[in-house]
Amino acid sequence: MAQAWRCKGLRWSADGPELAWDGGRRSALTWGKRVAFGVTEGGVRTCVGARGHVCPVRAVVPGRSTGARCEECARLDRAHSVAADTIADDPRPYHVYLAWFGPGMTKVGITALERGSARLLEQGAVCFSWLGVGPLMAARRTEELLRAALRVPDRIPYVDKRAVRSALPRSAAERSAEVEDLHARALTLPGWPESLSRELCQPVDHAGVFGLTDLPTAVGEVTELVAGGVVSGGLVAAAGPDLHLATDVGVIVVDTRLMTGWELVPAGRDGELALPTRGFRRAEAVVQDELF
């Protein structure tokens, strides 16, 4: 019987995307590389635990959960989390950023200064720019200011990001236009926290990093892994947690967060797909409301 591995998801390094595995092993991903795995027959998906600790009961978790945690481990994981607003005394400086994922899809967010642009790669931001830097609570207030005054959301659903990746504007200038416009409008807003230093708009484009140039249109996405399921295909792009794989039925997007918690084994025939999928309903581009 083939050795089984447990995936810890997609990681972004200076050299590009990598699949991380329990035990510290990493698999570098390059365009065209065959990505193939199967789920063990009769297997179940178990909780991945929280904050470096295994789940004490090895709870079974739903196949469609991107967190792969039981209720108790999910609570523990978010108990000391900036993202969950459960801490307010983090002394580290934070960046406020604007991130663009496609036409009408720009969000505001924050990330620790020390993390650099890692958070933007993890989210699949096609283009982004820093907006300011300062203490955590000042960054949070600025984030809320943009949501209230400019109606800039702090979340973009992944299904919307995936649906438009193959139809993005071809030039970097076009891809950065919305970020530049919102950045200029944001700097004119009253009510900026005094402790937050504003930064110049300097858009960073990730289209090349993600392999989105001439990206074939994806026909759909894997909705969950199941026991005995298989996927095998050539890697054509990777963005955020997603892999775009060329299979027998066309390009399929695999959210690597769905791989966690399963025991995975090598797959057989190239191009094979035997997992639940759904097609994309093309997202409508929404022009964000003007301030006045």
Side-chain angles (χ1 to χ4, degrees):
M1 181 177 177
Q3 180 179 0
W5 295 84
R6 286 185 174 270
C7 183
K8 299 182 71 172
L10 192 63
R11 302 289 186 267
W12 287 90
S13 72
D15 298 323
E18 302 173 330
L19 282 176
W21 306 89
D22 276 1
R25 176 189 169 200
R26 293 207 175 191
S27 304
L29 298 174
T30 55
W31 311 141
K33 180 173 182 175
R34 180 172 179 256
V35 176
F37 61 87
V39 185
T40 55
E41 291 283 356
V44 294
R45 192 185 192 198
T46 55
C47 176
V48 296
R51 302 195 171 275
H53 302 285
V54 299
C55 177
V57 297
R58 298 286 290 171
V60 174
V61 293
R64 297 197 176 202
S65 164
T66 55
R69 290 186 174 92
C70 67
E71 185 175 341
E72 183 60 24
C73 286
R75 183 196 62 77
L76 176 62
D77 189 63
R78 296 176 67 85
H80 191 73
S81 166
V82 171
D85 277 335
T86 55
I87 60 173
D89 57 352
D90 189 335
R92 297 176 298 171
Y94 275 79
H95 258 138
V96 183
Y97 62 81
L98 290 170
W100 183 87
F101 303 90
M105 298 181 192
T106 305
K107 62 157 282 187
V108 60
I110 70 171
T111 185
L113 180 69
E114 63 190 33
R115 295 207 67 210
S117 61
R119 181 64 180 142
L120 286 305
L121 291 166
E122 292 166 357
Q123 294 182 72
V126 179
C127 176
F128 81 93
S129 177
W130 304 126
L131 186 61
V133 62
L136 172 60
M137 294 315 294
R140 278 294 191 212
R141 288 196 296 273
T142 305
E143 191 180 35
E144 179 56 35
L145 175 64
L146 266 67
R147 286 201 300 262
L150 300 181
R151 299 188 181 179
V152 183
D154 62 353
R155 288 178 177 80
I156 302 290
Y158 272 103
V159 67
D160 292 345
K161 300 177 190 179
R162 294 167 186 147
V164 301
R165 282 187 189 137
S166 59
L168 298 174
R170 297 188 65 84
S171 73
E174 291 176 288
R175 292 192 292 268
S176 67
E178 288 184 33
V179 167
E180 291 172 339
D181 176 63
L182 277 172
H183 192 286
R185 291 162 58 195
L187 292 184
T188 67
L189 293 174
W192 271 67
E194 293 182 1
S195 57
L196 193 95
S197 300
R198 308 181 193 198
E199 299 200 8
L200 296 176
C201 186
Q202 296 180 319
V204 177
D205 192 90
H206 285 153
V209 176
F210 292 154
L212 303 183
T213 304
D214 299 321
L215 178 66
T217 301
V219 298
E221 63 185 330
V222 169
T223 56
E224 63 179 317
L225 272 59
V226 294
V230 174
V231 64
S232 173
L235 181 67
V236 295
D242 298 337
L243 303 179
H244 289 240
L245 303 180
T247 72
D248 289 344
V249 300
V251 173
I252 290 291
V253 181
V254 179
D255 184 340
T256 56
R257 296 175 300 176
L258 298 176
M259 296 166 60
T260 58
W262 289 101
E263 288 195 337
L264 305 178
V265 295
R269 183 177 61 82
D270 192 26
E272 187 175 2
L273 176 65
L275 290 171
T277 63
R278 65 181 170 207
F280 287 124
R281 179 176 61 84
R282 185 170 178 80
E284 296 291 336
V286 178
V287 177
Q288 288 167 332
D289 293 340
E290 298 291 335
L291 177 58
F292 301 110

